[in-house]
Amino acid sequence: MSARILVVDDQEPNVRLLEAKLKAEYFEVITATSGAKAIEAARKDQPDVILLDVMMPEMNGFEVCRRLKADGATRHIPIVMVTALDQREDRVAGLECGADDFLTKPVDDVTLFARVRSLLRLKVVLDELRIREVNAPADFLVGEAENPAGNWILVVAGDARAGEHLRMKLPSSVQSKVVTDPGLASRVAVSGIDLMLIDLTTSQFDGLRLCARVRSEAATRHVPIVAVVSPDEIERSVRALDLGVNDIIHRPVDSGELNARVATQLRRKNYADRLRNRLDESLEMAITDPLTGLHNRRYFASRLQQMVEARANGGPPCAVLIADLDHFKRINDTHGHAGGDAILTQFSDRLRGGLRAMDIAARYGGEEFVLAMPETDLQQGIVAAERLRKAVAKDCFRLSDGDVAKAVTVSVGVAEVFPGESPESVMKRADAALYRAKAEGRNRTVAAKRESRAA
């Protein structure tokens, strides 16, 4: 996986060394020798990952990281701090200011590349969500998940005592559970958790296999995994990252560092979940009428096209209904648009109440509604139309101010789709039937004439 990497270090030899190693792996490399230049390059070139030195004059890496994460244009870029500092306080400080990882010099090349590839895979997913949701909030802030109350964390260890020891190091604000059986862990994960903490040092089960299983299941593919490994198990750490583990923490596990790494993963997951939810909402809005909650005209047209094509290929009959509220302009003139909207909403509820799961109902425009009914012939369509017409006429409608509207009725035109007929043709015949229902006095159902079928 190729990508653009920004290398930041005030020491030119360090920059050139990292640049050479990355280019040998076919990465595109951008360099900066100061904090200010790093921020400028990040904004201008939008790298996929930033490798950031901590010890720099004028502006150290911690401050650079804080500024990048506070900027909406750069806060989504993963940052790996690469430094000679190896104290627990330094690692925690780096993670708490927004860094995604903290690697100590001299950095093992295999570990570095595994970490970069892992962050790139994650960024590809987030970028895809951000591109699809152009109005996504720029709220990937450092302090957002430092109090992850309500998040569920599943601790998976070889025995209950080791699992409980890890669990006690987690933030008290999270809910957590210890599991020692990997099969049970997979089933619990599917039920909905926010993070898995898996001990890869246990000999009781193959932790890497569990990681692979979690990543292979659609229901758990996006659940963050933090793996506990021994510091000398470089090969196992690299393998874990290649399998999709999000982060690594070494034994002995420091509670402060664990909390910082967990907070980073939960913050990122919450951000991704919001993007996915907004995308789902956007997709729903694209096919839904905002007033009535029914499908809109565009969605109806696409589904009708599918039904028409199925009918042309020997599929079952299907019927189309067009319903129009009678004298709706008079309702608007009398009760205002708020009253008219109340009538439309209640009519939609009555229409929806008579639907089968396979039926497609939509607001076609104004006070006109359409209904496509698969596996329905003309006579069955007439029965459905009459059921709707009677449901509308039977009970009063409530206006927005609570008053009762005078009698509201509906006229319906019904047409059955002929094999080989186009969607435009069947809609035209159903509309002609609706026009006749209006002309003949309204509050009635009229079927399209069969003789209107093309020879």
Side-chain angles (χ1 to χ4, degrees):
M1 178 184 293
S2 183
R4 183 185 296 116
I5 312 294
L6 172 60
V7 176
V8 186
D9 197 308
D10 64 313
Q11 298 296 318
E12 189 73 19
N14 294 342
V15 172
R16 296 307 166 206
L17 179 60
L18 263 180
E19 181 180 19
K21 290 180 178 181
L22 291 165
K23 284 186 175 179
E25 295 293 320
Y26 300 100
F27 290 110
E28 180 184 344
V29 181
I30 309 163
T31 64
T33 55
S34 70
K37 291 179 179 178
I39 293 173
E40 181 182 355
R43 290 172 177 166
K44 177 183 176 183
D45 298 312
Q46 290 292 302
D48 297 296
V49 175
I50 299 174
L51 302 181
L52 177 62
D53 184 34
V54 172
M55 301 301 291
M56 295 187 295
E58 298 180 8
M59 187 190 307
N60 65 28
F62 296 136
E63 180 61 25
V64 174
C65 186
R66 276 190 287 269
R67 295 192 186 190
L68 290 173
K69 292 301 182 180
D71 188 338
T74 56
R75 61 169 53 107
H76 62 281
I77 303 172
I79 297 176
V80 178
M81 288 192 163
V82 184
T83 178
L85 298 176
D86 191 25
Q87 297 299 311
R88 172 258 184 196
E89 292 80 7
D90 298 317
R91 293 196 302 274
V92 172
L95 294 166
E96 288 184 342
C97 72
D100 295 86
D101 206 350
F102 194 101
L103 300 180
T104 305
K105 297 177 182 178
V107 178
D108 176 77
D109 293 350
V110 177
T111 302
L112 172 63
F113 295 140
R115 168 51 69 188
V116 168
R117 287 194 297 269
S118 174
L119 290 172
L120 286 174
R121 285 193 296 270
L122 176 67
K123 187 172 183 293
V124 166
V125 173
L126 291 178
D127 283 351
E128 183 68 21
L129 292 172
R130 290 172 58 249
I131 289 170
R132 292 185 181 183
E133 178 48 75
V134 295
N135 294 318
D139 56 2
F140 189 39
L141 300 178
V142 172
E144 216 173 77
E146 290 179 357
N147 183 26
N151 285 121
W152 263 102
I153 297 179
L154 180 64
V155 180
V156 189
D159 60 77
R161 182 177 178 180
E164 186 64 22
H165 182 71
L166 287 173
R167 193 183 74 83
M168 294 302 294
K169 293 178 180 292
L170 293 169
S172 60
S173 57
V174 304
Q175 301 180 67
S176 56
K177 179 179 182 178
V178 175
V179 173
T180 58
D181 176 20
L184 176 60
S186 297
R187 295 191 293 274
V188 173
V190 171
S191 66
I193 60 171
D194 298 297
L195 184 142
M196 294 184 75
L197 178 61
I198 302 178
D199 185 3
L200 297 187
T201 66
T202 181
S203 60
Q204 303 301 312
F205 59 83
D206 188 346
L208 290 176
R209 188 172 299 279
L210 173 59
C211 294
R213 186 185 308 165
V214 170
R215 280 293 168 261
S216 66
E217 295 288 342
T220 56
R221 189 163 295 149
H222 302 296
V223 174
I225 301 175
V226 176
V228 179
V229 299
S230 297
D232 56 344
E233 293 185 318
I234 295 177
E235 184 177 346
R236 181 176 289 267
S237 298
V238 170
R239 185 65 172 151
L241 290 169
D242 286 343
L243 286 172
V245 167
N246 299 80
D247 203 358
I248 297 289
I249 187 167
H250 292 149
R251 283 196 177 279
V253 176
D254 177 83
S255 60
E257 181 178 351
L258 177 61
N259 290 350
R261 291 185 183 274
V262 165
T264 295
Q265 297 304 321
L266 291 176
R267 181 175 65 246
R268 185 186 290 129
K269 179 182 183 295
N270 292 338
Y271 176 67
D273 286 347
R274 283 196 299 276
L275 285 176
R276 290 189 183 95
N277 290 337
R278 286 175 64 89
L279 177 58
D280 290 342
E281 291 171 2
S282 297
L283 292 174
E284 183 68 21
M285 290 174 62
I287 63 173
T288 304
D289 174 64
L291 175 64
T292 64
L294 296 175
H295 294 301
N296 60 19
R297 181 170 183 159
R298 178 186 301 175
Y299 180 79
F300 178 84
S302 67
R303 293 301 304 274
L304 178 60
Q305 178 69 42
Q306 294 174 358
M307 294 181 192
V308 166
E309 290 175 356
R311 184 69 175 123
N313 293 321
C318 53
V320 173
L321 284 62
I322 301 183
D324 189 89
L325 289 170
D326 297 324
H327 301 298
F328 189 73
K329 184 178 183 302
R330 185 183 304 169
I331 295 174
N332 270 338
D333 291 344
T334 303
H335 304 290
H337 288 288
D341 288 349
I343 300 296
L344 291 173
T345 301
Q346 292 168 68
F347 171 81
S348 301
D349 292 339
R350 299 187 192 186
L351 171 60
R352 191 182 291 108
L355 296 181
R356 303 170 298 176
M358 68 179 73
D359 297 334
I360 305 297
R363 184 183 180 193
Y364 208 61
E367 68 273 22
E368 193 170 74
F369 296 79
V370 287
L371 177 61
M373 304 182 69
E375 300 182 16
T376 304
D377 60 23
L378 184 64
Q379 289 305 314
Q380 292 169 325
I382 292 172
V383 170
E386 276 294 286
R387 185 167 58 245
L388 171 64
R389 186 188 65 79
K390 291 176 181 178
V392 171
K394 179 182 177 182
D395 298 319
C396 296
F397 284 70
R398 293 282 177 181
L399 299 172
S400 56
D401 58 5
D403 289 344
V404 177
K406 293 183 179 180
V408 177
T409 60
V410 65
S411 300
V412 188
V414 185
E416 181 181 341
V417 177
F418 298 135
E421 185 177 22
S422 68
E424 294 77 16
S425 174
V426 68
M427 289 296 293
K428 183 177 180 180
R429 292 192 299 110
D431 192 56
L434 172 64
Y435 182 82
R436 292 203 307 276
K438 294 281 190 180
E440 292 173 10
R442 295 182 170 82
N443 190 24
R444 65 192 63 218
T445 297
V446 172
K449 297 179 180 179
R450 295 192 64 85
E451 53 267 30
S452 63
R453 177 181 181 179

